[in-house]
Amino acid sequence: MRILIVDDERPAREKLRRMLVAEPDISAIEEARDGVEALERLPAFAPDLLLLDIQMPEVSGLDVAASLPAPAPCVVFVTAYDEYAIRAFDANAIDYLLKPYDQPRLQRALQRVRERLAQQRLAATVAGADAQAAAATAQQTAATRPPLPAVTQLLVPERSGTRIVKVEQILWIETADNYVILHTTAGEPLMRQTLAGLLEKLGPRFVRCHRRAAVRLDAIASIANLDKGDGEIMLRDGSRAPLSRQYRAELEARLHHG
């Protein structure tokens, strides 16, 4: 099991690490000092589990959980405050460790994580052996297992701190070298991310409309025709996004099917 400890207090991180070292099936442990650093470490480290503090500067643990890309790692919240428990389980947390906790309490949380990971491995094995049987298994599992947290917001690092951008505020997205511009109802923050990678996180609400742009489907008000099959998308706030003929058929099909 690969574990990422996320806590802004060094003693809390060190306590968790000491306890985790005693567990036989943990292969790697890394630490992050805040939510932004945790999200930056995710792609390269690929943890199975986040042990996540809730109250941290700038970006809370709940914000981190809401920003996890799919497939998301398991989440166990570790906090000194019991008032966040309901919101934590709403974020599909597997467990909620209340500080101060002891080794047996941590072990119970880890056992729940092991059971969840075993279920996921079993589903993957079935998928590899028999695709048709895997589809049926996935339907059954989806009915009994909580869905992974959806990305409802993005964390955008800026010089003065970190901006939290709600997905529902994003109207369209435009590439700019190694960045993307998020055209939102509250400004145009710049995010270091590829367009393809961002669309993978945002899911079916967004569709590519140009090789350098994508648009949120329910933000489209109308489409104007231009020469040679190209077009221009009119958004509900009055702004405009480009539409190339290469992507027009797919966009119109997605609009037609809702």
Side-chain angles (χ1 to χ4, degrees):
M1 191 189 315
R2 300 171 63 82
I3 298 179
L4 180 61
I5 302 169
V6 187
D7 198 306
D8 62 313
E9 297 181 355
R10 182 176 177 180
R13 298 196 305 271
E14 291 177 344
K15 175 186 176 180
L16 265 175
R17 181 180 282 273
R18 286 194 303 270
M19 289 184 169
L20 292 170
V21 167
E23 299 298 315
D25 60 341
I26 295 175
S27 58
I29 303 171
E30 285 198 8
E31 300 177 14
R33 294 166 294 182
D34 54 45
V36 174
E37 186 177 353
L39 291 170
E40 290 174 348
R41 286 179 177 269
L42 281 178
F45 183 54
D48 300 301
L49 169 63
L50 291 185
L51 291 173
L52 188 57
D53 189 18
I54 290 184
Q55 281 203 344
M56 294 184 290
E58 295 187 18
V59 179
S60 75
L62 293 169
D63 288 330
V64 172
S67 304
L68 291 174
C74 298
V75 173
V76 170
F77 284 106
V78 185
T79 179
Y81 304 94
D82 58 3
E83 64 263 31
Y84 297 105
I86 294 177
R87 292 178 63 191
F89 286 110
D90 284 344
N92 291 313
I94 291 178
D95 207 340
Y96 189 92
L97 289 181
L98 193 61
K99 299 175 183 178
Y101 53 87
D102 54 17
Q103 188 84 26
R105 180 64 185 90
L106 175 61
Q107 287 174 333
R108 289 198 298 273
L110 292 175
Q111 185 56 34
R112 292 177 182 175
V113 174
R114 292 184 183 103
E115 292 169 359
R116 175 66 62 83
L117 293 174
Q119 291 174 358
Q120 294 173 355
R121 285 193 293 269
L122 176 61
T125 300
V126 172
D130 188 337
Q132 186 174 5
T137 301
Q139 285 184 343
Q140 187 176 21
T141 304
T144 57
R145 188 177 64 196
L148 291 169
V151 173
T152 58
Q153 59 193 21
L154 300 173
L155 304 184
V156 182
E158 297 181 335
R159 289 184 179 178
S160 59
T162 300
R163 181 188 296 202
I164 298 177
V165 178
K166 300 291 185 183
V167 171
E168 62 194 24
Q169 294 179 311
I170 303 172
L171 302 169
W172 68 288
I173 307 162
E174 179 182 12
T175 62
D177 295 326
N178 295 323
Y179 294 80
V180 292
I181 302 170
L182 305 177
H183 295 272
T184 78
T185 55
E188 297 180 346
L190 202 64
M191 184 177 187
R192 190 174 180 85
Q193 169 79 66
T194 65
L195 181 58
L198 183 57
L199 290 177
E200 206 173 304
K201 295 179 184 178
L202 294 176
R205 292 180 64 185
F206 289 78
V207 63
R208 206 154 190 156
C209 58
H210 190 276
R211 66 182 180 84
R212 299 184 64 246
V215 65
R216 199 182 84 220
L217 284 168
D218 60 4
I220 297 175
S222 63
I223 298 174
N225 294 327
L226 300 178
D227 294 337
K228 300 179 181 179
D230 291 336
E232 190 173 48
I233 299 170
M234 312 299 177
L235 300 170
R236 298 193 184 280
D237 72 332
S239 59
R240 303 181 180 192
L243 174 61
S244 69
R245 60 183 180 276
Q246 180 182 355
Y247 296 96
R248 183 164 187 159
E250 180 186 355
L251 182 138
E252 291 181 344
R254 293 277 299 277
L255 285 171
H256 178 73
H257 292 292

